[in-house]
Amino acid sequence: MDAKHSSSPAPLDGGPAARLLAWYDRHARDLPWRAKPGEVPDPYRVWLSEVMLQQTTVAAVSPRFTAWVARWPDVASLAAASDEDIMAAWAGLGYYARARNLVKAARAVVAEHGGRFPATEAELRELPGLGAYTAAAVAAIAFGERAVVVDANVERVVARLFAIQTPLPAARPAIRAATDRITPDARAGDFAQAMMDLGSSICTVKKPQCLLCPIAVDCQARAEGIAETLPAKAPKKKRPYRHGTIFWIERDGHVWLVRRPDKGLLGGMRALPTGPWADERPGLADAPAEGPWVVLNDTVVHGFTHFELELALARADGVPVDPDAGEWWPIKDLGTAGLPTLFARAAERLKGV
């Protein structure tokens, strides 16, 4: 269904939306992907920024976004880029499935939509990697469709605004319904960005600045004195711990790099070779060369969504068992290899040892 003609309930009378939009007109953040007053939003830049910002901060994304659009200024240029170049450019932003879906979506836009992004939330959902949030954000911000946009900032603002005390994630249907109630038919994109800005700068996780909030008069949690306790969260489950070994093979100023399998964690990325990731320390299992190996008295710990990973560090001078399984990379140019953060940190500890 077209977002403009959804059967969602009408916004509340009186107006948190109107107050919020008036505040946004004065205080909107100046962000490299955001259209300035009078400009038409670029769907490519809106989509790219929303994908980059998932699980990543504005401060981290801003310079990366600027460099990205300088290299690939539109969806056609991104669609024509190699997977290898895209994955290398994405290194350090994490959640690498986003980068793989990014190029798939770009190619779908070019091949199936003539290089123009579809304008409705439903059509956008058909593109690879565009879930409910991203499709709604692009539909609202880039095309002015009435769509209900709920990210972590909006979740927090709305949970407080309506004093929704059910813990997350169970509270999400109620939060979305409440967001739907106050989303206006006009300026839905500005409203979504205003909610994000409010959550980022004023309705913050700790010590919300309620005296500066343009919708404080509407906020039930503030009236009840419980704003900072919301949204409530269910107790976190302890993440399991796994172990592995990173192998550094050096020869003539070069280090041996491999390409990780396309599917799975850090898929498609260049990396230092590793053995299995297991519940117990695997030692030198699946070492990519015969050695002899020197195991450093050091480890690298990295947190993934569902587990913590501790990797021992081993190095050797030698020849890989399978010379077709990777490539030699100049150590002095290792920064251009696009290593994920985990492997870049390990490389800093291993080179020169």
Side-chain angles (χ1 to χ4, degrees):
M1 180 180 293
D2 189 297
K4 286 183 177 177
H5 301 99
S6 68
S7 57
S8 54
L12 291 174
D13 293 335
R19 282 186 276 278
L20 187 63
L21 285 167
W23 171 84
Y24 179 74
D25 288 340
R26 297 191 301 272
H27 300 289
R29 288 180 291 178
D30 183 12
L31 300 173
W33 48 84
R34 185 175 283 178
K36 293 180 170 47
E39 292 181 350
V40 177
D42 179 349
Y44 170 71
R45 296 171 74 93
V46 173
W47 162 69
L48 177 62
S49 68
E50 291 298 341
V51 174
M52 283 188 165
L53 285 164
Q54 292 168 24
Q55 308 292 332
T56 315
T57 66
V58 167
V61 166
S62 291
R64 301 293 296 273
F65 176 89
T66 300
W68 189 285
V69 295
R71 186 173 185 180
W72 297 300
D74 51 36
V75 71
S77 59
L78 182 60
S82 72
D83 292 12
E84 180 176 315
D85 285 346
I86 289 168
M87 297 305 290
W90 192 269
L93 286 171
Y95 298 90
Y96 293 95
R98 292 180 298 162
R100 294 193 293 273
N101 282 326
L102 197 75
V103 70
K104 289 179 184 177
R107 290 168 183 164
V109 169
V110 170
E112 300 168 19
H113 300 277
R116 298 175 65 88
F117 277 84
T120 68
E121 185 178 0
E123 289 177 301
L124 287 162
R125 283 293 301 270
E126 297 298 317
L127 295 175
L130 271 76
Y133 166 75
T134 306
V138 175
I141 297 168
F143 297 107
E145 297 287 308
R146 186 190 184 278
V148 181
V149 183
V150 184
D151 71 350
N153 280 317
V154 177
E155 239 174 28
R156 184 168 59 256
V157 171
V158 173
R160 290 170 176 175
L161 186 62
F162 291 90
I164 297 171
Q165 297 183 51
T166 304
L168 292 172
R172 286 189 173 128
I175 289 173
R176 191 186 190 286
T179 308
D180 198 354
R181 291 182 63 199
I182 59 171
T183 298
D185 290 328
R187 299 189 67 188
D190 285 347
F191 175 79
Q193 292 177 108
M195 290 284 273
M196 296 172 195
D197 284 8
L198 187 72
S200 174
S201 62
I202 290 178
C203 194
T204 48
V205 175
K206 296 180 180 179
K207 298 182 180 179
Q209 301 178 67
C210 297
L211 292 177
L212 300 177
C213 179
I215 55 174
V217 65
D218 306 290
C219 184
Q220 295 179 32
R222 178 175 181 260
E224 296 174 24
I226 58 172
E228 197 166 351
T229 69
L230 299 179
K233 295 182 179 179
K236 283 187 177 181
K237 294 181 180 178
K238 186 176 181 180
R239 289 185 294 184
Y241 218 77
R242 300 176 72 182
H243 302 272
T245 303
I246 286 180
F247 298 101
W248 176 279
I249 309 173
E250 185 173 328
R251 187 182 71 181
D252 299 330
H254 291 68
V255 64
W256 183 250
L257 299 182
V258 297
R259 179 84 56 183
R260 292 187 61 80
D262 287 338
K263 292 187 177 180
L265 290 170
L266 311 177
M269 303 293 293
R270 281 196 194 96
L272 296 167
T274 75
W277 296 356
D279 293 337
E280 303 294 332
R281 291 180 173 85
L284 299 177
D286 295 343
E290 292 184 2
W293 289 96
V294 175
V295 180
L296 277 62
N297 185 26
D298 195 4
T299 61
V300 170
V301 178
H302 189 81
F304 290 100
T305 304
H306 300 297
F307 65 95
E308 294 277 340
L309 178 65
E310 181 181 34
L311 290 159
L313 305 176
R315 60 171 293 138
D317 297 323
V319 178
V321 173
D322 182 358
D324 296 323
E327 59 188 319
W328 292 106
W329 198 275
I331 295 173
K332 65 182 180 62
D333 296 330
L334 199 54
T336 66
L339 297 180
T341 302
L342 161 62
F343 293 100
R345 286 169 52 214
E348 285 301 313
R349 301 187 190 186
L350 282 159
K351 66 184 180 183
V353 173

